[in-house]
C-alpha cells in the first residue's frame, strides 16, 4: 500500500464520527502526482513555497508542470504561462478526481506563506464576490483595531488591495463582475469621492444603519481609479458586463472623476 512521500504515513486522514462511535474513522486522502509519487494534500501544501517555484516533485524531483514555461522571473509565485498546470489524481472522501489541477492552490499557498498579511485581503475579496456586506464591514473594523508585531494591512489597504493572483483586481472589480450591487455602493461610500447626494437613498440608509461614517477620500485614493492587469477600471468591467450596471454607468457613479 502506498504511503505519503512526505510523512511516510498511510494515505488516509482521521475524521469525526457522526455516529458517536469511539472507534477512529478514516477516509482516503491520496494525492498522486504525475511522476507516481503520493502525498497527503496537507503534506504537499506544506511544501508549496518550493513547489510553486520549482514545479518539481518534492520527493523525486521530477517535473510536474504540463508545460516548461515555469514560474515568472519577476514574481516567483506567478506562473508565466496562463496554461500552466500540475495535474493530479486525487482520492478523498468524495471520490476520485482525475486531472485535478493543484497549481492554483499551490501558488496561492506559496504567496500567502510569503505574504501572510494578504490572508485577510484574500478573505475580503471573497466577501466582495459573494456579497457579504456584514462580513466586509466586520473585517475592516477588525483591521482598524488590530494590534501586534505581525505584519498586517489596515482598513484602507484592504479596501484597495489588488490581488496579484487574480489579475490585480480590486474588491470593486470583483463585486461588479459578480453583480453584487450592495457591495459596490458600500465600497463607493467608504473609498471614493462620489458626492453623497449621488448615492441611492437605500445605500445611504444601509450605511447609516451599520454605523459607517463616510471618510474623507482624496481623489488619488479613489478606488474607482484602480485598474487591473488589463488596464480596466471597475467602470470598464461594468460596461463589459452590462445588465444591472446600465443605470449606474449612465449616472456616472463608477467614473473615477465624478
Amino acid at each position: 500500500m502506498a504511503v505519503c512521500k512526505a510523512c511516510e504515513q498511510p494515505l488516509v486522514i482521521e475524521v469525526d464520527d457522526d455516529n458517536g462511535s469511539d472507534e477512529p474513522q478514516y477516509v482516503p486522502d491520496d494525492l498522486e502526482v504525475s511522476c507516481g509519487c503520493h502525498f497527503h494534500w496537507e503534506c504537499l501544501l506544506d511544501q508549496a513555497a518550493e513547489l510553486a517555484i520549482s514545479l518539481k516533485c518534492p520527493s523525486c524531483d521530477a517535473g510536474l508542470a504540463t508545460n516548461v514555461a515555469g514560474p515568472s522571473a519577476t514574481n516567483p509565485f506567478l506562473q508565466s504561462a496562463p496554461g500552466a498546470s500540475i495535474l493530479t489524481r486525487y482520492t478523498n472522501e468524495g471520490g476520485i478526481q482525475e486531472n485535478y489541477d493543484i497549481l492554483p492552490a499551490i501558488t496561492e499557498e506559496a504567496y500567502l506563506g510569503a505574504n501572510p498579511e494578504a490572508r485577510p485581503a484574500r478573505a475580503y475579496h471573497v466577501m466582495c464576490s459573494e456579497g457579504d456586506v456584514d462580513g466586509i464591514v466586520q473585517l475592516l473594523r477588525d483591521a482598524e483595531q488590530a494590534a501586534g508585531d505581525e505584519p498586517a494591512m489596515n482598513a484602507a489597504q484592504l479596501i484597495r488591495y489588488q490581488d496579484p493572483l487574480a489579475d490585480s483586481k480590486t474588491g470593486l472589480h470583483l463585486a461588479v463582475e459578480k453583480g453584487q450591487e450592495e457591495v459596490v455602493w458600500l465600497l463607493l461610500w467608504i473609498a471614493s469621492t462620489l458626492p453623497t447626494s449621488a448615492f441611492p437613498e437605500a445605500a445611504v440608509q444601509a450605511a447609516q444603519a451599520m454605523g459607517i461614517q463616510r471618510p474623507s477620500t482624496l481623489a488619488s485614493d479613489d478606488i474607482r481609479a484602480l485598474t487591473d492587469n488589463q488596464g480596466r477600471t471597475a467602470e470598464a468591467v461594468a460596461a463589459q458586463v452590462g445588465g444591472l450596471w446600465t443605470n449606474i454607468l449612465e449616472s456616472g457613479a463608477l467614473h473615477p472623476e465624478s
Side-chain angles (χ1 to χ4, degrees):
M1 179 180 180
V3 296
C4 175
K5 287 289 187 178
C7 69
E8 298 184 346
Q9 296 299 310
L11 292 161
V12 295
I13 55 173
E14 187 173 350
V15 296
D16 294 333
D17 180 19
D18 295 335
N19 298 322
S21 172
D22 293 333
E23 294 294 323
Q25 301 294 313
Y26 298 95
V27 296
D29 183 37
D30 180 359
L31 188 69
E32 181 182 1
V33 291
S34 58
C35 58
C37 291
H38 295 254
F39 298 88
H40 293 113
W41 171 245
E42 287 296 332
C43 288
L44 192 61
L45 206 60
D46 287 343
Q47 302 182 65
E50 176 185 347
L51 178 54
I53 295 173
S54 71
L55 302 180
K56 294 181 179 180
C57 174
S59 177
C60 70
D61 211 34
L64 300 179
T66 57
N67 63 34
V68 296
S72 165
T74 56
N75 187 338
F77 298 119
L78 301 180
Q79 67 270 22
S80 59
S85 59
I86 295 179
L87 301 180
T88 67
R89 184 176 191 265
Y90 186 36
T91 305
N92 61 8
E93 187 176 11
I96 299 175
Q97 299 178 63
E98 300 284 358
N99 296 320
Y100 174 50
D101 183 10
I102 63 170
L103 186 55
I106 291 294
T107 303
E108 177 179 11
E109 187 62 26
Y111 170 73
L112 294 176
N115 302 274
E117 69 279 6
R119 288 190 183 274
R122 298 277 290 178
Y124 158 69
H125 274 196
V126 171
M127 294 173 187
C128 289
S129 297
E130 296 179 350
D132 186 358
V133 171
D134 291 338
I136 293 170
V137 172
Q138 188 58 55
L139 184 66
L140 295 178
R141 285 174 174 160
D142 290 345
E144 285 300 293
Q145 297 170 4
D149 297 330
E150 295 296 323
M153 294 185 186
N154 59 35
Q157 292 171 319
L158 280 175
I159 293 167
R160 294 167 180 81
Y161 174 73
Q162 294 182 261
D163 190 351
L165 302 183
D167 211 20
S168 290
K169 295 173 184 175
T170 66
L172 185 60
H173 284 88
L174 295 171
V176 169
E177 281 186 349
K178 301 299 184 180
Q180 304 296 351
E181 186 174 355
E182 289 185 27
V183 173
V184 167
W185 286 119
L186 171 64
L187 298 184
L188 294 181
W189 180 263
I190 60 180
S192 81
T193 60
L194 184 68
T196 301
S197 60
F199 284 80
E201 184 61 28
V204 175
Q205 291 177 353
Q208 292 173 342
M210 289 185 286
I212 305 173
Q213 298 295 322
R214 191 159 193 217
S216 176
T217 301
L218 299 174
S220 58
D221 293 331
D222 195 320
I223 193 173
R224 297 173 297 174
L226 297 176
T227 59
D228 64 14
N229 282 346
Q230 300 179 49
R232 302 178 304 170
T233 62
E235 180 184 37
V237 174
Q240 292 176 349
V241 174
L244 71 95
W245 302 118
T246 301
N247 290 338
I248 293 178
L249 285 168
E250 291 176 352
S251 73
L254 288 171
H255 191 66
E257 298 176 1
S258 63

